[in-house]
Amino acid sequence: MTTPAELPADGSRAQPGSRLHPMSWLFELIAQLRQFLVPLLALFLFGRGDRNELWPLVGVAALIIASLWRYFTFRYHAGGDQLVLRTGLLSRNVRVVPYGRIHNVAVDQTLLHRLFDVAAVRLESAGGNKPEAEMRVLRLDRALALEDLIRHRGAAAAATPGTDGTAADGTGSVLHHLPPGEVLRLGIISNRGMVLVAAAFAAMGQLGGKSAVVWETLFSWLFGWVDTDAFNTPQWIAAGGVLLLLALAAVRLLSVVLAMLQYYGFTLAAHGRRLTVERGLLARWRSSAPRRRIQAWRMHEGVVHRLLRRRSLEVDIATGGGQQQARALRELAPVGTAEQCAALVTRLLPRAGWDTLDWVHFGHATWWRLFWPALPLVVLVTSLSCWRFGLPGALALAWLPWAGFRARRQAARMGWAFNGRLVALRTGWWSRHWYWAELDKLQSLQVSRNVVDRRCGTATLVLDTAGARGMRAPLRIRFLPLRRALALRQLLAGELARRPLRW
């Protein structure tokens, strides 16, 4: 193996044929065994001693041989402007990856990686469902040296001077950092513990009849010291309320623990034209991407955000599909004050004029478009409640005044804006959202109309970007009068035609 000093910034004298870390076969084997972990544990714990049950171990031996084979036949060479990967012995393959094609560099460390002082490296591009290259594993200092080399050479190969107002001098500067107190707030806000709770309920469902035993044991542990037989109705209501509060507190505590594990030491830094995020307590996760790959922006301020006077800032990065979407850099500020989020936007979009947008409000009649979807749901719930509980079930109709009030507040706050460089949308009242994208990053413009739009003479303008994710919709400006929607689409199309598409 070479040392970091043998990976110079220009990559001109990097030794060819460098191998992975000597323990890389072990990590490759662990990655292959993950899908067989449960059957293997069942084999060792519940096996009846029959020798035929040991045949699956032959497959484990085959995986060990394959992992060792990959280690001895894998070579990589960091050249002047490209990374060369050589695999195979009998059938040899050579893959050449230009640095300018690499859009995301991810350096991951699990707890086992940290024990061996190694890291897994993934090099990802905007096309394809698989990484351009994946190396499990490199020594940590070599992984960071390779990341630094790709950052410098990729910027020199792909950057256009003056596009973002900063020089690609490679000097890093911290843009956002989360101290432990902010990570604690993030845990309270995010409520990530509900994911594990849902997974626990799903696992309980797989137990079949044995799940009743688990529930009985749980309730016995919670209430075994209380004589519940003597409870009257008010006491049962009070006990249920206390149990609900304890459950909510436990979920929040679990969310805080998960946030500490995932976001401890979160640091967003700028290295020339690349952004780098590093985070994690036991396992460390590090990812970097060029700023030019940012396609769309999203800022969120929920109810708990507002109580703690915080916001969240995310971006969509243009990557390939599949797992790369989940791995790509997303959160610029998982939690931060309004001033910190605004400063980040101003720093990364210096000439976009985000803070001076002139918002165009929707008409006052928009509120009922937000209100009417609640009507059939309330009617259905009220009917079922009255059928089950009689006249008291009609109390479900009390939801209608709140739904109408919320719809009016949302309609009063909704707005869109276009200043020649940014297209922006803001929605919500109880939970507030801002979406925006640079005009150069728009991929398609579409005017759509449903049955209600045709009846009301309105339309929805859909602005798609390369980084839009699955069910998370791109910019959708709803409830526009048809003529305004068509005029806005024509205006944006004309502006796009005057300037080249910028990646």
Side-chain angles (χ1 to χ4, degrees), residues 86-139:
R86 294 180 175 88
T87 58
L89 182 62
L90 302 179
S91 178
R92 297 185 177 181
N93 299 311
V94 178
R95 183 175 180 83
V96 179
V97 184
Y99 295 144
R101 180 179 173 85
I102 299 172
H103 299 137
N104 184 40
V105 181
V107 180
D108 295 340
Q109 277 190 296
T110 64
L111 183 58
L112 186 60
H113 285 92
R114 300 186 70 180
L115 291 176
F116 285 93
D117 197 28
V118 296
V121 180
R122 293 190 314 275
L123 310 178
E124 301 167 350
S125 69
N129 294 326
K130 296 182 178 180
E132 290 289 336
E134 187 170 8
M135 288 174 279
R136 290 196 294 251
V137 289
L138 296 178
R139 210 170 65 198

Side-chain angles (χ1 to χ4, degrees), residues 340-424:
Q340 290 173 332
C341 292
L344 270 177
V345 177
T346 303
R347 173 72 180 269
L348 300 177
L349 295 176
R351 298 190 300 270
W354 160 254
D355 53 347
T356 58
L357 287 175
D358 186 14
W359 294 97
V360 179
H361 295 277
F362 293 85
H364 294 290
T366 304
W367 75 270
W368 76 266
R369 295 286 301 274
L370 299 170
F371 170 70
W372 78 263
L375 289 176
L377 179 61
V378 171
V379 170
L380 176 62
V381 172
T382 303
S383 301
L384 294 176
S385 300
C386 290
W387 173 75
R388 179 64 180 84
F389 302 107
L391 187 60
L395 292 176
L397 292 174
W399 180 260
L400 288 179
W402 164 252
F405 173 76
R406 186 179 63 174
R408 284 185 174 275
R409 297 295 295 176
Q410 288 178 340
R413 192 181 175 278
M414 287 178 60
W416 62 272
F418 175 60
N419 62 358
R421 186 178 177 88
L422 287 183
V423 183

Side-chain angles (χ1 to χ4, degrees), residues 295-297 421-424 435-439 441-442 465 475:
Q295 302 296 302
W297 301 68
R421 186 178 177 88
L422 287 183
V423 183
Y435 308 90
W436 68 94
E438 294 178 271
L439 179 63
K441 303 302 176 65
L442 298 182
T465 61
L475 284 164

Side-chain angles (χ1 to χ4, degrees), residues 203-217:
M204 293 282 288
Q206 298 297 321
L207 296 177
K210 296 181 179 179
S211 61
V213 178
V214 178
W215 285 116
E216 289 177 3
T217 304

Side-chain angles (χ1 to χ4, degrees), residues 9 147-157 168-171 271 274:
E147 180 199 32
D148 185 68
L149 173 64
I150 293 173
R151 182 172 67 239
H152 285 80
R153 301 302 296 178
D169 55 5
T171 57
H271 299 268
R274 293 188 74 91

Side-chain angles (χ1 to χ4, degrees), residues 13 43 117 130 166 239 277 284 314 327 367 406 418 424:
R13 296 182 60 84
L43 173 65
D117 197 28
K130 296 182 178 180
T166 60
V277 165
R284 296 293 293 174
E314 300 178 0
R327 293 170 174 171
W367 75 270
R406 186 179 63 174
F418 175 60

Side-chain angles (χ1 to χ4, degrees), residues 201-284:
F201 274 99
M204 293 282 288
Q206 298 297 321
L207 296 177
K210 296 181 179 179
S211 61
V213 178
V214 178
W215 285 116
E216 289 177 3
T217 304
L218 177 61
F219 278 98
S220 175
W221 179 74
L222 290 175
F223 300 107
W225 54 277
V226 179
D227 183 14
T228 56
D229 295 334
F231 274 19
N232 53 30
T233 300
Q235 288 175 323
W236 273 112
I237 294 176
V242 172
L243 183 61
L244 178 61
L245 291 178
L246 290 176
L248 293 176
V251 170
R252 291 293 177 179
L253 180 60
L254 182 59
S255 300
V256 170
V257 173
L258 290 177
M260 283 292 179
L261 292 175
Q262 296 175 359
Y263 289 93
Y264 182 83
F266 178 95
T267 302
L268 171 69
H271 299 268
R273 291 185 173 88
R274 293 188 74 91
L275 298 176
T276 301
V277 165
E278 186 171 2
R279 60 180 172 88
L281 181 60
L282 300 180
R284 296 293 293 174

